[in-house]
mmCIF file of all heavy atoms in Angstrom:
data_model
loop_
_atom_site.group_PDB
_atom_site.id
_atom_site.type_symbol
_atom_site.label_atom_id
_atom_site.label_comp_id
_atom_site.label_asym_id
_atom_site.label_seq_id
_atom_site.Cartn_x
_atom_site.Cartn_y
_atom_site.Cartn_z
ATOM 1 N N GLY A 69 -311.541 -57.696 -85.568
ATOM 2 C CA GLY A 69 -310.430 -57.898 -86.496
ATOM 3 C C GLY A 69 -309.143 -58.325 -85.815
ATOM 4 O O GLY A 69 -309.022 -58.328 -84.591
ATOM 5 N N THR A 70 -308.172 -58.701 -86.639
ATOM 6 C CA THR A 70 -306.862 -59.160 -86.162
ATOM 7 C C THR A 70 -305.756 -58.370 -86.860
ATOM 8 O O THR A 70 -305.864 -58.058 -88.040
ATOM 9 C CB THR A 70 -306.690 -60.662 -86.456
ATOM 10 O OG1 THR A 70 -307.578 -61.412 -85.629
ATOM 11 C CG2 THR A 70 -305.253 -61.123 -86.181
ATOM 12 N N PHE A 71 -304.704 -58.091 -86.085
ATOM 13 C CA PHE A 71 -303.501 -57.437 -86.618
ATOM 14 C C PHE A 71 -302.364 -58.426 -86.513
ATOM 15 O O PHE A 71 -302.028 -58.869 -85.422
ATOM 16 C CB PHE A 71 -303.233 -56.158 -85.815
ATOM 17 C CG PHE A 71 -301.876 -55.539 -86.045
ATOM 18 C CD1 PHE A 71 -301.234 -55.595 -87.278
ATOM 19 C CD2 PHE A 71 -301.245 -54.870 -85.003
ATOM 20 C CE1 PHE A 71 -299.997 -55.016 -87.467
ATOM 21 C CE2 PHE A 71 -299.996 -54.285 -85.185
ATOM 22 C CZ PHE A 71 -299.368 -54.367 -86.422
ATOM 23 N N LEU A 72 -301.793 -58.791 -87.666
ATOM 24 C CA LEU A 72 -300.706 -59.758 -87.654
ATOM 25 C C LEU A 72 -299.417 -59.110 -88.140
ATOM 26 O O LEU A 72 -299.352 -58.580 -89.244
ATOM 27 C CB LEU A 72 -301.046 -60.972 -88.506
ATOM 28 C CG LEU A 72 -300.332 -62.197 -87.949
ATOM 29 C CD1 LEU A 72 -301.311 -63.266 -87.564
ATOM 30 C CD2 LEU A 72 -299.286 -62.670 -88.877
ATOM 31 N N LEU A 73 -298.402 -59.183 -87.294
ATOM 32 C CA LEU A 73 -297.148 -58.472 -87.533
ATOM 33 C C LEU A 73 -296.011 -59.468 -87.736
ATOM 34 O O LEU A 73 -295.664 -60.209 -86.821
ATOM 35 C CB LEU A 73 -296.862 -57.561 -86.333
ATOM 36 C CG LEU A 73 -295.606 -56.698 -86.357
ATOM 37 C CD1 LEU A 73 -295.666 -55.674 -87.472
ATOM 38 C CD2 LEU A 73 -295.443 -55.993 -85.005
ATOM 39 N N ASN A 74 -295.450 -59.460 -88.937
ATOM 40 C CA ASN A 74 -294.298 -60.323 -89.248
ATOM 41 C C ASN A 74 -293.025 -59.533 -88.967
ATOM 42 O O ASN A 74 -292.765 -58.518 -89.601
ATOM 43 C CB ASN A 74 -294.369 -60.754 -90.713
ATOM 44 C CG ASN A 74 -293.125 -61.503 -91.175
ATOM 45 O OD1 ASN A 74 -292.698 -61.345 -92.309
ATOM 46 N ND2 ASN A 74 -292.540 -62.318 -90.300
ATOM 47 N N ILE A 75 -292.228 -60.008 -88.016
ATOM 48 C CA ILE A 75 -291.055 -59.237 -87.619
ATOM 49 C C ILE A 75 -290.015 -60.157 -86.999
ATOM 50 O O ILE A 75 -290.338 -61.245 -86.524
ATOM 51 C CB ILE A 75 -291.469 -58.121 -86.621
ATOM 52 C CG1 ILE A 75 -290.393 -57.051 -86.519
ATOM 53 C CG2 ILE A 75 -291.820 -58.698 -85.274
ATOM 54 C CD1 ILE A 75 -290.874 -55.774 -85.837
ATOM 55 N N LYS A 76 -288.772 -59.733 -87.027
ATOM 56 C CA LYS A 76 -287.700 -60.477 -86.353
ATOM 57 C C LYS A 76 -286.612 -59.483 -85.974
ATOM 58 O O LYS A 76 -286.213 -58.653 -86.781
ATOM 59 C CB LYS A 76 -287.130 -61.557 -87.275
ATOM 60 C CG LYS A 76 -285.980 -62.371 -86.673
ATOM 61 C CD LYS A 76 -286.424 -63.262 -85.531
ATOM 62 C CE LYS A 76 -285.276 -63.830 -84.744
ATOM 63 N NZ LYS A 76 -285.018 -65.236 -84.979
ATOM 64 N N GLU A 77 -286.141 -59.590 -84.754
ATOM 65 C CA GLU A 77 -285.101 -58.677 -84.315
ATOM 66 C C GLU A 77 -283.779 -59.025 -84.956
ATOM 67 O O GLU A 77 -283.484 -60.183 -85.208
ATOM 68 C CB GLU A 77 -284.962 -58.687 -82.791
ATOM 69 C CG GLU A 77 -284.710 -60.041 -82.185
ATOM 70 C CD GLU A 77 -286.009 -60.718 -81.823
ATOM 71 O OE1 GLU A 77 -286.761 -61.067 -82.757
ATOM 72 O OE2 GLU A 77 -286.282 -60.905 -80.639
ATOM 73 N N LYS A 78 -282.975 -58.029 -85.228
ATOM 74 C CA LYS A 78 -281.652 -58.299 -85.780
ATOM 75 C C LYS A 78 -280.630 -58.334 -84.654
ATOM 76 O O LYS A 78 -280.936 -57.995 -83.505
ATOM 77 C CB LYS A 78 -281.274 -57.236 -86.819
ATOM 78 C CG LYS A 78 -281.230 -55.831 -86.277
ATOM 79 C CD LYS A 78 -280.714 -54.860 -87.322
ATOM 80 C CE LYS A 78 -279.294 -55.187 -87.725
ATOM 81 N NZ LYS A 78 -278.675 -54.164 -88.562
ATOM 82 N N VAL A 79 -279.444 -58.803 -85.009
ATOM 83 C CA VAL A 79 -278.351 -58.844 -84.043
ATOM 84 C C VAL A 79 -277.659 -57.492 -84.038
ATOM 85 O O VAL A 79 -277.287 -56.972 -85.086
ATOM 86 C CB VAL A 79 -277.343 -59.953 -84.402
ATOM 87 C CG1 VAL A 79 -276.146 -59.908 -83.460
ATOM 88 C CG2 VAL A 79 -278.009 -61.319 -84.357
ATOM 89 N N VAL A 80 -277.530 -56.914 -82.862
ATOM 90 C CA VAL A 80 -276.835 -55.642 -82.721
ATOM 91 C C VAL A 80 -275.754 -55.826 -81.669
ATOM 92 O O VAL A 80 -276.057 -56.179 -80.525
ATOM 93 C CB VAL A 80 -277.805 -54.510 -82.297
ATOM 94 C CG1 VAL A 80 -277.042 -53.205 -82.105
ATOM 95 C CG2 VAL A 80 -278.915 -54.338 -83.316
ATOM 96 N N ASP A 81 -274.506 -55.652 -82.074
ATOM 97 C CA ASP A 81 -273.391 -55.725 -81.138
ATOM 98 C C ASP A 81 -273.354 -57.077 -80.414
ATOM 99 O O ASP A 81 -273.174 -57.142 -79.197
ATOM 100 C CB ASP A 81 -273.504 -54.577 -80.123
ATOM 101 C CG ASP A 81 -272.163 -54.315 -79.429
ATOM 102 O OD1 ASP A 81 -271.128 -54.773 -79.933
ATOM 103 O OD2 ASP A 81 -272.181 -53.676 -78.361
ATOM 104 N N GLY A 82 -273.595 -58.144 -81.168
ATOM 105 C CA GLY A 82 -273.485 -59.489 -80.619
ATOM 106 C C GLY A 82 -274.700 -59.991 -79.879
ATOM 107 O O GLY A 82 -274.747 -61.142 -79.477
ATOM 108 N N GLU A 83 -275.699 -59.123 -79.705
ATOM 109 C CA GLU A 83 -276.908 -59.530 -78.993
ATOM 110 C C GLU A 83 -278.132 -59.428 -79.893
ATOM 111 O O GLU A 83 -278.207 -58.549 -80.753
ATOM 112 C CB GLU A 83 -277.174 -58.593 -77.805
ATOM 113 C CG GLU A 83 -276.445 -58.892 -76.543
ATOM 114 C CD GLU A 83 -276.964 -57.980 -75.431
ATOM 115 O OE1 GLU A 83 -276.579 -56.793 -75.396
ATOM 116 O OE2 GLU A 83 -277.757 -58.453 -74.612
ATOM 117 N N ARG A 84 -279.116 -60.272 -79.649
ATOM 118 C CA ARG A 84 -280.432 -60.038 -80.220
ATOM 119 C C ARG A 84 -280.970 -58.757 -79.595
ATOM 120 O O ARG A 84 -281.072 -58.652 -78.372
ATOM 121 C CB ARG A 84 -281.384 -61.197 -79.894
ATOM 122 C CG ARG A 84 -281.141 -62.443 -80.682
ATOM 123 C CD ARG A 84 -281.626 -62.335 -82.112
ATOM 124 N NE ARG A 84 -281.067 -63.390 -82.943
ATOM 125 C CZ ARG A 84 -281.141 -63.407 -84.272
ATOM 126 N NH1 ARG A 84 -281.752 -62.425 -84.926
ATOM 127 N NH2 ARG A 84 -280.612 -64.388 -84.960
ATOM 128 N N ASN A 85 -281.305 -57.801 -80.418
ATOM 129 C CA ASN A 85 -281.802 -56.542 -79.876
ATOM 130 C C ASN A 85 -283.208 -56.724 -79.319
ATOM 131 O O ASN A 85 -283.948 -57.616 -79.728
ATOM 132 C CB ASN A 85 -281.792 -55.474 -80.965
ATOM 133 C CG ASN A 85 -281.837 -54.080 -80.383
ATOM 134 O OD1 ASN A 85 -282.903 -53.566 -80.085
ATOM 135 N ND2 ASN A 85 -280.679 -53.482 -80.202
ATOM 136 N N THR A 86 -283.582 -55.850 -78.397
ATOM 137 C CA THR A 86 -284.866 -56.033 -77.700
ATOM 138 C C THR A 86 -286.000 -55.219 -78.303
ATOM 139 O O THR A 86 -287.087 -55.164 -77.718
ATOM 140 C CB THR A 86 -284.733 -55.653 -76.217
ATOM 141 O OG1 THR A 86 -284.307 -54.298 -76.122
ATOM 142 C CG2 THR A 86 -283.775 -56.566 -75.487
ATOM 143 N N TYR A 87 -285.791 -54.605 -79.476
ATOM 144 C CA TYR A 87 -286.867 -53.722 -79.949
ATOM 145 C C TYR A 87 -288.165 -54.453 -80.255
ATOM 146 O O TYR A 87 -289.233 -53.858 -80.164
ATOM 147 C CB TYR A 87 -286.423 -52.862 -81.147
ATOM 148 C CG TYR A 87 -286.001 -53.605 -82.388
ATOM 149 C CD1 TYR A 87 -286.933 -54.017 -83.333
ATOM 150 C CD2 TYR A 87 -284.656 -53.868 -82.630
ATOM 151 C CE1 TYR A 87 -286.537 -54.674 -84.478
ATOM 152 C CE2 TYR A 87 -284.250 -54.522 -83.777
ATOM 153 C CZ TYR A 87 -285.199 -54.931 -84.704
ATOM 154 O OH TYR A 87 -284.806 -55.586 -85.822
ATOM 155 N N VAL A 88 -288.091 -55.739 -80.563
ATOM 156 C CA VAL A 88 -289.334 -56.455 -80.847
ATOM 157 C C VAL A 88 -290.111 -56.724 -79.557
ATOM 158 O O VAL A 88 -291.321 -56.487 -79.487
ATOM 159 C CB VAL A 88 -289.063 -57.769 -81.599
ATOM 160 C CG1 VAL A 88 -290.343 -58.586 -81.729
ATOM 161 C CG2 VAL A 88 -288.497 -57.481 -82.980
ATOM 162 N N ILE A 89 -289.417 -57.186 -78.521
ATOM 163 C CA ILE A 89 -290.151 -57.450 -77.278
ATOM 164 C C ILE A 89 -290.540 -56.133 -76.597
ATOM 165 O O ILE A 89 -291.582 -56.060 -75.952
ATOM 166 C CB ILE A 89 -289.363 -58.376 -76.329
ATOM 167 C CG1 ILE A 89 -288.013 -57.803 -75.934
ATOM 168 C CG2 ILE A 89 -289.173 -59.740 -76.951
ATOM 169 C CD1 ILE A 89 -287.255 -58.714 -74.959
ATOM 170 N N ASP A 90 -289.758 -55.084 -76.794
ATOM 171 C CA ASP A 90 -290.185 -53.764 -76.318
ATOM 172 C C ASP A 90 -291.472 -53.350 -77.024
ATOM 173 O O ASP A 90 -292.395 -52.797 -76.410
ATOM 174 C CB ASP A 90 -289.106 -52.712 -76.589
ATOM 175 C CG ASP A 90 -287.821 -52.973 -75.817
ATOM 176 O OD1 ASP A 90 -287.878 -53.708 -74.813
ATOM 177 O OD2 ASP A 90 -286.771 -52.436 -76.216
ATOM 178 N N LEU A 91 -291.513 -53.642 -78.327
ATOM 179 C CA LEU A 91 -292.687 -53.263 -79.113
ATOM 180 C C LEU A 91 -293.932 -54.014 -78.650
ATOM 181 O O LEU A 91 -295.028 -53.427 -78.574
ATOM 182 C CB LEU A 91 -292.414 -53.537 -80.597
ATOM 183 C CG LEU A 91 -293.500 -53.131 -81.592
ATOM 184 C CD1 LEU A 91 -293.790 -51.638 -81.510
ATOM 185 C CD2 LEU A 91 -293.102 -53.507 -83.011
ATOM 186 N N ILE A 92 -293.773 -55.276 -78.330
ATOM 187 C CA ILE A 92 -294.922 -56.053 -77.840
ATOM 188 C C ILE A 92 -295.512 -55.376 -76.601
ATOM 189 O O ILE A 92 -296.724 -55.179 -76.495
ATOM 190 C CB ILE A 92 -294.501 -57.503 -77.505
ATOM 191 C CG1 ILE A 92 -294.122 -58.260 -78.780
ATOM 192 C CG2 ILE A 92 -295.621 -58.240 -76.776
ATOM 193 C CD1 ILE A 92 -293.489 -59.627 -78.523
ATOM 194 N N GLN A 93 -294.634 -54.997 -75.694
ATOM 195 C CA GLN A 93 -295.122 -54.362 -74.460
ATOM 196 C C GLN A 93 -295.765 -52.999 -74.740
ATOM 197 O O GLN A 93 -296.791 -52.661 -74.145
ATOM 198 C CB GLN A 93 -293.958 -54.224 -73.470
ATOM 199 C CG GLN A 93 -293.542 -55.567 -72.907
ATOM 200 C CD GLN A 93 -292.184 -55.553 -72.250
ATOM 201 O OE1 GLN A 93 -291.331 -54.749 -72.616
ATOM 202 N NE2 GLN A 93 -291.965 -56.436 -71.302
ATOM 203 N N SER A 94 -295.211 -52.249 -75.669
ATOM 204 C CA SER A 94 -295.782 -50.945 -75.998
ATOM 205 C C SER A 94 -297.130 -51.080 -76.694
ATOM 206 O O SER A 94 -298.040 -50.281 -76.461
ATOM 207 C CB SER A 94 -294.821 -50.153 -76.889
ATOM 208 O OG SER A 94 -293.627 -49.868 -76.194
#
Side-chain angles (χ1 to χ4, degrees):
Chain A
T70 291
F71 167 33
L72 209 121
L73 181 64
N74 173 216
I75 198 166
K76 179 68 193 254
E77 56 269 68
K78 60 174 297 189
V79 175
V80 178
D81 199 17
E83 276 187 282
R84 285 285 165 192
N85 199 275
T86 59
Y87 61 85
V88 173
I89 59 178
D90 296 340
L91 183 59
I92 292 171
Q93 289 164 332
S94 296

